Amino acid sequence: MQYDFETPINRSKMASAKWEKMKECNPSVSEDIFPFSVADADLPLAPEIKEGLKDYIDQTVLGYTIVSPDYLRAVKEWNKTKHHFELDTDWILTTPGVVPALHLAVRAYTEPGDSVVIMTPIYPPFYSAVTSQDRHLSEVPLLKEGTHYSIDFEQLEKTVSDPKVTLLLFCSPHNPVGRVWTKEELTRVAEICIANGVKIVSDEIHYDLVMPGHEHTVFAAINDSVAEHVVVCTSASKTFNIAGLQTAAVIIPNEYMRERFFTEMDRIGYHGANMIGLKATELAYTKGSDWLDGFKDLIAHNAEVLQQFVTKNLPKATAFPLEGTYLQWIDLRPYTDPEALEDTLTHKGNLFFNEGYHFGESGKGYERINLACPTALLVKALDRLAEVFNR
């Protein structure tokens, strides 16, 4: 089947969070300007999901529901065939997204006053999942050497040796820097954490979106011993652009950890599941593989287009190699004062990215650009970016 990845979807009248935020930043923005911020795609929905949901709506009643065996089998088979991760369906809990799962995990595995480790710069909800619940943040900044980010294992080991540190919130692939961690890197993280009694919650929502030449390893798939200390959070939401259905799978091999997590779900009164989200995930995982191949081709192509454009037109900027996710991390500090960057882009360039400072102090002067869009739209935005800095 031929899939359409070049027809842009204007969501200015769809109550899209991304588009409404753009209007807040610049109320006079033209309707033909698209944002490149929040991680969803302004692309047509995969037809297998769209048509499957139409049939499902025709046949069903939208009442209270429980997680279906078909959904559980789809999650299990997807992880087995795509990620070589053999899991038991009993390990799967369902939450209304990975961000709620991070909050629940902090409540389940730490106590007020405990410290939680994050590796910065990092997706903003990692901060709020900790600080909103009377826990302390322990930041381990990633090491940056040229265009490559890596884990500071020495600093990680020093940080988790503090007995107050009880949990690591890990991002894999990493948002925003786009790293796909190797199995060797993950194994070293696991060794350090396990030796210090620190549990690991791994956000792997982008794990299907890995670029050619790289391979994702599910944290709990390293070995059975590691799996006993790890919670893996996944979803079809980024992969198939169904984030609005707010459905995520939280995979917890350790029975005691699973019970702790479920207890926190019960405490906040979360029972049942979004039946449309469950069905959309099932359709995505059973019928969407070909569409995903095309989507990944688009992302890889857009990443190459951006790299070539930056090299030619913004040679002082650094666009970091995209190994995974569809989120491009770019350093624009050589072109402007970081304090002026947001205003410059928003009001002089009609450019709406994610500001790097939202990801932490080390992100000041950086931008995160969403590449999940038709290539023609990206090229127009890049032209405006070059115009802003080359005037």
Side-chain angles (χ1 to χ4, degrees):
M1 180 184 293
Q2 289 291 111
Y3 296 107
D4 180 8
F5 295 108
E6 292 304 328
T7 299
I9 304 296
N10 188 308
R11 298 162 65 196
S12 59
K13 295 179 175 60
M14 297 183 186
S16 162
K18 179 166 61 177
W19 286 70
E20 293 305 312
K21 180 64 177 176
M22 175 176 69
K23 293 176 194 174
E24 286 179 22
C25 293
N26 187 348
S28 63
V29 67
S30 170
E31 286 197 3
D32 64 348
I33 296 294
F34 280 61
F36 296 82
S37 53
V38 176
D40 60 17
D42 298 321
L43 292 167
L45 184 63
E48 293 86 350
I49 298 176
K50 180 188 290 187
E51 297 307 317
L53 287 179
K54 287 179 181 178
D55 292 342
Y56 182 60
I57 293 292
D58 285 342
Q59 300 171 31
T60 195
V61 174
L62 300 179
Y64 292 116
T65 191
I66 61 172
V67 175
S68 70
D70 289 340
Y71 165 82
L72 293 173
R73 279 195 294 270
V75 173
K76 177 185 173 76
E77 287 304 309
W78 185 263
N79 278 277
K80 178 180 178 180
T81 57
K82 297 293 185 180
H83 300 289
H84 313 293
F85 178 33
E86 297 271 3
L87 61 90
D88 190 317
T89 55
D90 290 341
W91 300 352
I92 303 170
L93 299 176
T94 301
T95 65
V98 167
V99 170
L102 297 178
H103 284 71
L104 285 164
V106 170
R107 293 173 61 89
Y109 306 125
T110 68
E111 299 293 336
D114 283 359
S115 292
V116 180
V117 175
I118 60 174
M119 296 182 184
T120 56
I122 202 164
Y123 182 48
F126 276 62
Y127 294 91
S128 58
V130 179
T131 58
S132 65
Q133 301 179 82
D134 297 321
R135 277 69 168 175
H136 301 296
L137 275 171
S138 290
E139 296 187 32
V140 176
L142 295 173
L143 297 173
K144 182 168 71 71
E145 300 174 5
T147 61
H148 183 77
Y149 280 90
S150 61
I151 295 169
D152 188 341
F153 292 110
E154 182 177 345
Q155 183 60 43
L156 177 63
E157 194 159 17
K158 179 180 178 180
T159 300
V160 301
S161 66
D162 181 346
K164 289 186 177 181
V165 173
T166 54
L167 183 67
L168 166 66
L169 294 184
F170 192 73
C171 195
S172 179
H174 192 90
N175 173 10
V177 307
R179 271 297 318 276
V180 173
W181 307 115
T182 65
K183 186 175 183 179
E184 291 73 24
E185 287 172 311
L186 295 174
T187 301
R188 183 66 184 132
V189 171
E191 290 170 347
I192 291 170
C193 288
I194 292 170
N196 288 276
V198 173
K199 295 178 176 61
I200 301 165
V201 175
S202 184
D203 170 4
E204 305 192 18
I205 197 169
H206 292 279
Y207 73 159
D208 294 315
L209 302 170
V210 173
M211 297 298 98
H214 301 277
E215 182 176 357
H216 178 82
T217 299
V218 175
F219 217 132
I222 293 173
N223 58 53
D224 291 343
S225 176
V226 169
E228 288 297 306
H229 301 267
V230 173
V231 172
V232 175
C233 304
T234 73
S235 176
S237 60
K238 305 299 181 188
T239 309
F240 292 97
N241 203 36
I242 53 174
L245 297 179
Q246 301 201 328
T247 301
V250 181
I251 303 167
I252 312 177
N254 181 288
E255 183 177 4
Y256 175 71
M257 291 178 66
R258 192 163 62 249
E259 289 174 355
R260 288 281 298 272
F261 193 95
F262 183 82
T263 296
E264 289 304 322
M265 292 174 63
D266 193 52
R267 283 179 178 167
I268 66 169
Y270 181 70
H271 304 100
N274 180 335
M275 64 188 303
I276 303 300
L278 296 177
K279 176 54 69 171
T281 301
E282 176 197 330
L283 290 164
Y285 285 167
T286 56
K287 300 179 183 296
S289 187
D290 289 343
W291 182 91
L292 176 57
D293 288 342
F295 186 40
K296 289 169 65 176
D297 287 344
L298 170 71
I299 297 164
H301 176 64
N302 283 352
E304 183 178 359
V305 167
L306 184 144
Q307 285 282 356
Q308 292 177 353
F309 185 94
V310 168
T311 299
K312 180 179 179 180
N313 299 284
L314 294 166
K316 293 186 289 186
T318 301
F320 291 83
L322 187 70
E323 297 179 3
T325 81
Y326 51 66
L327 305 166
Q328 176 68 59
W329 189 238
I330 183 169
D331 181 1
L332 294 173
R333 291 175 299 169
Y335 285 95
T336 184
D337 179 352
E339 300 298 331
L341 180 58
E342 182 174 10
D343 183 70
T344 299
L345 295 180
T346 301
H347 293 99
K348 295 183 179 179
N350 273 325
L351 292 162
F352 301 89
F353 306 144
N354 278 124
E355 301 303 318
Y357 65 82
H358 290 302
F359 301 87
E361 186 71 20
S362 60
K364 285 185 176 180
Y366 292 69
E367 297 289 331
R368 193 192 75 170
I369 304 174
N370 185 339
L371 301 181
C373 62
T375 304
L377 282 181
L378 176 64
V379 170
K380 288 180 180 179
L382 292 174
D383 285 338
R384 295 201 303 276
L385 182 64
E387 183 181 356
V388 164
F389 292 123
N390 291 328
R391 283 171 180 166

